[in-house]
Amino acid sequence: MDAKEQRYIMATTILVGAQWGDEGKGKIIDVLTDRNDIVVRYAGGNNAGHTVEVGDQKFVLHLIPSGILHPGKVCVIGNGVVVDPVALVAEMDGLVKRGIKVGSDRLLLSETAHMVLPYHRELDAQREVLKGKQKIGTTKRGIGPAYGDKAARIGLRMIDMAKPKEFSEKLARKVKENNEILRALGAKPLPVAAISQEYLAAAKRLRPFVANTVVYLHNAMKAGKNILFEGAQGTFLDIDHGTYPYVTSSNTTAGGACTGSGVPPNKMNTVIAVMKAYTTRVGEGPLPTENAMISDLLHGLGREFGATTGRPRRVGWFDAVATRHAAMVNGIDELAVTNLDGLDTLERIKICVAYRAGGKTYETMPNDLAVLAKCKPVYIEMDGWKQPLHEVKTYGELPAKARAYVEKIAELTGAKLAIASIGPRREQTLTT
Ligand code: GDP
Ligand code: IMO
Ligand code: MG
C-alpha cells in the first residue's frame, strides 16, 4: 500500500456535496468504498440519484448506498433517511437483475427510519401546484411531507412493519386522513385497499433487512471496521444551511451524518467534500453564477441532465463564495473536484470570488434570498487548458493550466485538494 492509499484508511469518513447536489458523490463513494468496510446513507430519500459507472455499465442508485456495487461490502440505510418501501424493493430488484447481490447479509435498514408513503408523494405534487411560480421544483418523491410527518411525530417507521396487522391498520388510517387533505386541495383521494396491499407486500420483503443499525455500527467500530458515510444532495440544499425554502427537508451537511446514523461527532475522523469544477443546480432557487454559455456547452455534450428526474440542470461558473461557506459548515478536510473535463474546450474560465449587491461586497453567502437574488458575481479569470483530459493517468500528467485551475478553486474554498476527477469511470480519478 502506498502513502496515497494509506491516507484513506481511517475509521470513519463523511462524504458530502459542497454545492447544490449532483457533484459526483456516487462516483467518489464508489472509488473510496475499496478502502472501507461499510457504507452508510444518512439523509434524504429517493430524491437522490447517484451515478456510478463500472466498466461499460452505468448504475444510478437512489436509496441504496453506492457501496453495494462492491462485493463483500455492507451497506446501511440509516435512521436519518426517509424510505419508500415500494421504491426500495424496486431498486433492490433492479440491482439483483443486473447481477448485484443484495441479501440481508449486506444491506441493513434502520428500524427507526421513517417511511415515505403514496400520500406524501401526492401532497408533494399538490403543494408544488399550489405554490405556482414560487414552486421549489422538488423531485416529487414525497420527501418534504415525509420529513414533515417525522417532525410532527405522526410518521410510520420501518419498525412498524414488524407487526403486519397493526401496520396495515395504521396505514389505512393514515391514507384516509390524508385523503381528506387531498380532497380539500382538490386532488383525487388515494385507494386505501390497493395501497395497503402493495405496502404490506413490500413490508414482508423488507422485514429481514430491518435492524438496529445504531448498535450494528457501534459494534462494527469496536471491531475496527472502516465506515464511509454517503451524503446525499448538497450543502445548499440543507434544510438549515441551504437557500431556504429552495432546499430539501434534511440535514445534508456533515452534522447530518451523526444524527442520521447514531455515530457521534467524536467518532468521526475525516470530512471529504465533493464539488464540480463548475456549478449546477436542478430545481428552482438562487444560482448566482448561472451562465447560458457554459450551460449550452455542457447540455450540448449530453451532460448535466438530472439522474433522478431527467430535468436539465442549470449550470454556472465555479462559485467559491458558496464552496467557502460549505467548508465552514461541513468542516471539510479534503476535496474531490469532479468534472474537470467538462471545461476542456474553454479558452478562459471564470471563478466567482465574491458577490456584489447594493454597494456591498459579500465573501460568504447572504441568508436573505432577496439580497442573494441581487448579488452579482465578482469573477477572476484563468486560462483554459484546451485539450481533452479523459486519458490522463496521474495528477502530475495533467496540463499545468488544469492543475493551476483545480488548485486555485481548492485554495479559494480553503481545503486540501485530494482528488481530481476527469471522467465518470473509476480509472478516471487522479489522487494528488
Ligand atoms: P451525485 O448525485 O453527486 O452522485 O451525482 P450524479 O450522479 O447525480 O451526477 C454526476 C454526473 O457526473 C454523473 O453522470 C456522473 O457519472 C458524472 N461524473 C462524475 N464525475 C465525473 C467526471 O469527473 N467527469 C465526467 N465527465 N463525468 C463525471
Ligand atoms: P443527489 O443526492 C440535486 C433538489 C430538487 C429541488 C429540491 C427539493 O443526487 O445530489 P426534494 O424532492 O428533495 O423535496 O426537492 O432539492 N434535490 C436535488 N438536487 N441532487 C439531489 O440529490 C437532489 N435531491 C433533491 O431538485 O430543487
Ligand atoms: Mg445526483
Side-chain angles (χ1 to χ4, degrees):
M1 190 187 312
D2 65 19
K4 271 186 192 169
E5 276 186 87
Q6 180 72 48
R7 225 170 62 200
Y8 293 103
I9 304 285
M10 45 210 159
T12 51
T13 309
I14 303 173
L15 181 139
V16 293
Q19 296 158 322
W20 277 270
D22 302 330
E23 296 91 346
K25 298 178 293 297
K27 179 199 154 155
I28 303 298
I29 288 278
D30 177 65
V31 169
L32 298 182
T33 296
D34 257 350
R35 299 106 167 188
N36 283 277
D37 304 296
I38 302 168
V39 185
V40 185
R41 258 290 294 274
Y42 61 82
N46 60 342
N47 49 350
H50 296 174
T51 313
V52 181
E53 291 194 18
V54 185
D56 55 7
Q57 290 218 65
K58 180 170 162 175
F59 295 86
V60 181
L61 286 312
H62 299 288
L63 275 166
I64 300 176
S66 307
I68 200 78
L69 302 176
H70 289 246
K73 307 289 176 175
V74 175
C75 290
V76 172
I77 298 179
N79 56 276
V81 179
V82 285
V83 182
D84 181 332
V86 169
L88 178 56
V89 168
E91 190 170 335
M92 288 159 63
D93 288 347
L95 288 175
V96 170
K97 255 193 217 132
R98 297 178 68 180
I100 309 295
K101 290 206 170 74
V102 194
S104 56
D105 56 332
R106 57 183 310 244
L107 179 66
L108 279 78
L109 181 51
S110 166
E111 53 194 14
T112 56
H114 276 249
M115 280 185 202
V116 181
L117 292 156
Y119 47 84
H120 294 129
R121 279 200 305 274
E122 199 52 39
L123 284 170
D124 190 357
Q126 291 301 326
R127 285 179 191 164
E128 284 284 271
V129 173
L130 272 181
K131 285 196 178 91
K133 276 194 182 146
Q134 264 89 51
K135 73 170 191 216
I136 296 167
T138 73
T139 59
K140 298 201 178 82
R141 297 296 190 271
I143 304 302
Y147 277 112
D149 277 4
K150 176 178 178 177
R153 296 154 296 175
I154 54 170
L156 287 177
R157 301 186 300 173
M158 292 301 143
I159 200 167
D160 293 317
M161 299 191 304
K163 296 177 186 149
K165 191 167 168 290
E166 284 170 32
F167 173 60
S168 166
E169 285 165 7
K170 271 189 201 169
L171 179 57
R173 205 166 50 239
K174 298 285 301 172
V175 177
K176 284 180 198 156
E177 248 173 59
N178 281 281
N179 275 347
E180 294 307 314
I181 303 171
L182 288 171
R183 274 200 198 92
L185 293 173
K188 276 209 304 225
L190 298 167
V192 180
I195 290 176
S196 283
Q197 209 179 8
E198 194 183 17
Y199 279 76
L200 269 174
K204 195 170 170 200
R205 278 284 305 281
L206 293 177
R207 232 171 287 140
F209 297 84
V210 177
N212 186 331
T213 52
V214 174
V215 172
Y216 173 82
L217 291 173
H218 279 262
N219 285 338
M221 285 189 293
K222 275 185 210 145
K225 303 285 185 199
N226 293 326
I227 306 177
L228 180 57
F229 294 84
E230 173 170 350
Q233 289 79 51
T235 298
F236 296 99
L237 293 173
D238 184 287
I239 182 84
D240 286 286
H241 301 291
T243 49
Y244 190 92
Y246 299 99
V247 293
T248 190
S249 299
S250 61
N251 284 117
T252 61
T253 44
C258 296
T259 51
S261 71
V263 175
N266 66 350
K267 294 278 188 293
M268 296 297 189
N269 299 129
T270 305
V271 178
I272 296 187
V274 184
M275 56 193 209
K276 277 182 177 143
Y278 46 92
T279 307
T280 66
R281 167 167 211 164
V282 61
E284 310 304 318
L287 189 64
T289 62
E290 192 163 15
N291 176 275
M293 186 279 284
I294 180 167
S295 175
D296 291 348
L297 168 76
L298 289 157
H299 289 153
L301 295 170
R303 290 168 62 163
E304 301 309 344
F305 292 91
T308 295
T309 58
R311 291 178 289 176
R313 295 175 182 144
R314 298 156 62 197
V315 188
W317 297 111
F318 186 84
D319 184 344
V321 178
T323 58
R324 206 153 45 220
H325 197 100
M328 233 171 14
V329 297
N330 291 297
I332 301 172
D333 296 302
E334 298 200 335
L335 284 175
V337 178
T338 69
N339 287 275
L340 194 54
D341 55 302
L343 306 176
D344 279 355
T345 54
L346 294 174
E347 189 91 34
R348 301 278 288 165
I349 307 175
K350 290 186 184 183
I351 304 173
C352 167
V353 292
Y355 302 151
R356 290 277 303 163
K360 260 181 86 174
T361 301
Y362 294 85
E363 297 206 339
T364 55
M365 294 276 276
N367 285 319
D368 184 342
L369 283 203
V371 173
L372 190 53
K374 289 197 189 106
C375 279
K376 296 271 172 286
V378 177
Y379 288 115
I380 57 166
E381 284 194 25
M382 294 191 75
D383 280 342
W385 44 93
K386 295 199 345 187
Q387 65 188 86
L389 301 183
H390 287 122
E391 304 284 329
V392 172
K393 295 286 176 260
T394 65
Y395 184 76
E397 282 169 37
L398 274 177
K401 285 177 178 165
R403 264 183 286 135
Y405 176 75
V406 76
E407 285 163 20
K408 186 73 184 170
I409 62 178
E411 178 201 316
L412 289 167
T413 300
K416 186 174 174 303
L417 179 70
I419 292 173
S421 169
I422 49 159
R425 299 155 72 105
R426 281 178 183 168
E427 59 277 15
Q428 292 170 314
T429 311
L430 314 174
T431 44
T432 58

